[in-house]
Amino acid sequence: MEHTDASCEEALKAFAFQGTPVCCSAYGNGHINGTYRVDCQGAGGGKHYILQDINTKVFARPEELMQNIGWVTGYLKEKIKEEGGDPERETLTIVPAKSGGLFFRDSSGRCWRSYVFITDAVTYERAESTREFFLCGRALGHFQQQLAEYPVERLAETIPDFHHTPKRLEALKRAAAEDVCGRNSSVRKELRFFLDREEETAAAVSLHAAGKLPLRVTHNDTKLNNILFDKRTGKPLCIIDLDTIMPGFSAFDFGDAIRSGASTASEDERDLSRVSLSLDLYDAFSEGFLKGCGGSLTETEKEMLPMGAKLMTMECGIRFLTDYLQGDRYFRIHRPHQNLDRARTQIALAADMERKWERMRVSIEKF
Ligand code: ADP
Ligand code: GN1
Ligand code: MG
């Protein structure tokens, strides 16, 4: 059987798959977990699964993480049934370990989980058309609406202060001061960009502290490749990567999707002249998102949307740069300096948002 490493084999035996695993190969473009696709053979045809090596450096408490996902997917399945949808394809289905747990800890301490593989679906790194991105906005807005009544206090914070932008900036400053890899002198310009915008990094958290911006159940990682599209209809089918479902701001789910989907270049593009914000894609997504939320956002939340896009772009840039200074310990890289390239695209995108700021604001008012 094809497999990537020996501990995969132990994990393969630990889950209640239908049939016998015949192939297990690396899958997808995620930066955090190790993802494999498992093909099984048996009576009744082939079954496919996702097997994931949970990154426990990032998610320190896999029990709480999987409990969150178990609760949320169970809740979503009921909502999807009420709406007449297909609960097997429109949200994730956890495959429990044979021991009955939601994940499996192998003999070397690695933590594994499995989901039913959703077939006939694709992911995109960037939006291919305004229609597609409008539908993404509607799907993410709808996702928020589906979870609007879910008791937010029940969910564990799987990464503390995940989107606390000022704390992210503090971490960058510390990484620059410690300079463990001796890279600080080569990133002065990039550091300056973020330091010059220090006050702005607090825009969302200070509004929240003043009681003006509510916490909701949010996804917190609405990168475009965390949406599966149905190959047949071309429409968004399932929102995946539920590791960071927890209390958050609606503007950040909006913002991270704009950051990743409405940029005219890849997240690690080296030719920065290619990086800009597509206003057509921004408009399409905004219209879809506001429709999908179905009037559930407060005025302040709506006003916050453009800033959500800028903050998510800056924060992501801050995190890439921090990781670069610390020796690429968090985000998976495929070539040297990739995290620096990623930080630079986020800076270019945030700078373009500044140039287009008025237009971004007016567009939200219009919808
Ligand atoms: P990461 O946290 O590393 O980004 P993800 O959970 O997003 O990991 O999974 C990585 C990729 O695997 C996704 O972008 C998607 O292409 C694919 N994937 C994940 N879960 C499923 C699933 N249940 N069915 C089909 N593909 C999936
Ligand atoms: C990571 O897991 P993935 O690849 O979907 C990261 C996000 C970043 C994104 C940048 C848990 O997302 O916060 O915005 O990379 N996820 C985590 O590409 O840190
Ligand atoms: Mg992902």
Side-chain angles (χ1 to χ4, degrees):
M1 187 176 62
E2 216 185 296
H3 59 79
T4 321
D5 62 53
S7 63
C8 232
E9 216 166 312
E10 192 186 338
L12 283 169
K13 293 192 192 117
F15 288 92
F17 295 134
Q18 267 180 50
T20 312
V22 290
C23 180
C24 173
S25 43
Y27 193 80
N29 289 329
H31 293 342
I32 304 295
N33 298 303
T35 303
Y36 304 87
R37 176 188 148 126
V38 179
D39 301 320
C40 291
Q41 258 173 17
K47 277 266 176 190
H48 310 282
Y49 299 92
I50 284 284
L51 180 67
Q52 275 181 327
D53 179 359
I54 303 172
N55 185 333
T56 47
K57 277 197 218 138
V58 171
F59 301 106
R61 287 191 290 276
E63 303 78 7
E64 286 183 4
L65 169 83
M66 290 311 293
Q67 188 59 259
N68 273 6
I69 298 178
W71 280 331
V72 167
T73 53
Y75 184 86
L76 284 173
K77 282 186 194 292
E78 291 309 312
K79 288 269 165 196
I80 294 165
K81 274 187 232 162
E82 281 166 27
E83 292 166 1
D86 180 352
E88 301 303 308
R89 282 175 67 71
E90 293 173 31
T91 191
L92 290 170
T93 304
I94 298 174
V95 180
K98 285 179 183 161
S99 62
L102 297 180
F103 72 100
F104 166 70
R105 198 184 293 270
D106 73 17
S107 52
S108 68
R110 285 162 80 180
C111 293
W112 300 82
R113 66 161 167 230
S114 176
Y115 296 117
V116 170
F117 185 90
I118 299 173
T119 52
D120 300 313
V122 279
T123 55
Y124 300 102
E125 295 304 312
R126 273 177 298 125
E128 313 223 316
S129 70
T130 51
R131 174 74 190 155
E132 178 190 289
F133 208 39
F134 164 83
L135 294 172
C136 283
R138 208 173 60 179
L140 285 170
H142 180 63
F143 182 79
Q144 254 186 36
Q145 215 201 9
Q146 285 176 317
L147 291 167
E149 316 258 276
Y150 190 88
V152 89
E153 64 290 345
R154 197 175 179 196
L155 296 176
E157 212 180 346
T158 56
I159 302 178
D161 294 319
F162 187 53
H163 284 320
H164 194 297
T165 319
K167 288 193 183 170
R168 293 292 191 178
L169 185 59
E170 287 309 314
L172 172 61
K173 287 188 206 166
R174 276 197 305 278
E178 284 161 12
D179 196 22
V180 292
C181 298
R183 290 173 165 178
N184 182 328
S185 60
S186 64
V187 300
R188 291 275 154 79
K189 224 172 62 197
E190 289 77 9
L191 272 170
R192 181 50 41 216
F193 182 88
F194 296 123
L195 294 175
D196 284 347
R197 288 155 183 79
E198 177 151 21
E199 215 175 296
E200 206 167 46
T201 61
V205 289
S206 41
L207 260 188
H208 173 65
K212 292 179 188 155
L213 195 66
L215 279 175
R216 304 203 178 253
V217 179
T218 48
H219 182 284
N220 294 302
D221 189 1
T222 49
K223 184 156 87 166
L224 193 59
N225 71 12
N226 288 328
I227 302 179
L228 292 183
F229 286 76
D230 192 320
K231 257 189 206 163
R232 283 167 298 120
T233 63
K235 290 185 182 165
L237 174 67
C238 178
I239 292 165
I240 60 165
D241 203 343
L242 304 177
D243 293 332
T244 49
I245 283 245
M246 54 186 168
F249 303 130
S250 54
F252 285 178
D253 274 6
F254 172 89
D256 200 48
I258 294 293
R259 174 193 78 76
S260 61
S263 169
T264 52
S266 308
E267 195 176 70
D268 61 352
E269 172 62 57
R270 277 179 275 203
D271 177 359
L272 294 178
S273 70
R274 298 173 72 166
V275 181
S276 65
L277 175 79
S278 157
L279 283 170
D280 288 343
L281 289 173
Y282 175 86
D283 286 350
F285 186 90
S286 303
E287 188 180 0
F289 187 78
L290 288 167
K291 280 211 168 100
C293 285
S296 61
L297 300 186
T298 65
E299 281 310 307
T300 311
E301 280 181 297
K302 283 186 250 176
E303 280 166 23
M304 200 60 197
L305 295 177
M307 186 50 90
K310 185 170 173 197
L311 282 177
M312 283 300 93
T313 307
M314 290 212 293
E315 186 187 283
C316 210
I318 289 171
R319 293 171 63 202
F320 287 142
L321 192 59
T322 306
D323 199 30
Y324 179 70
L325 287 167
Q326 292 180 330
D328 310 304
R329 298 188 306 212
Y330 188 96
F331 296 103
R332 181 177 296 119
I333 54 167
H334 307 281
R335 55 175 157 83
H337 311 300
Q338 193 172 9
N339 275 322
L340 176 58
D341 294 335
R342 288 170 177 157
R344 286 178 171 153
T345 60
Q346 303 308 294
I347 291 172
L349 186 60
D352 196 45
M353 287 179 183
E354 289 179 351
R355 285 188 286 273
K356 293 171 177 161
W357 193 245
E358 205 33 41
R359 176 61 177 69
M360 285 170 73
R361 257 187 9 79
V362 170
S363 168
I364 298 293
E365 273 171 23
K366 194 173 76 198
F367 297 121

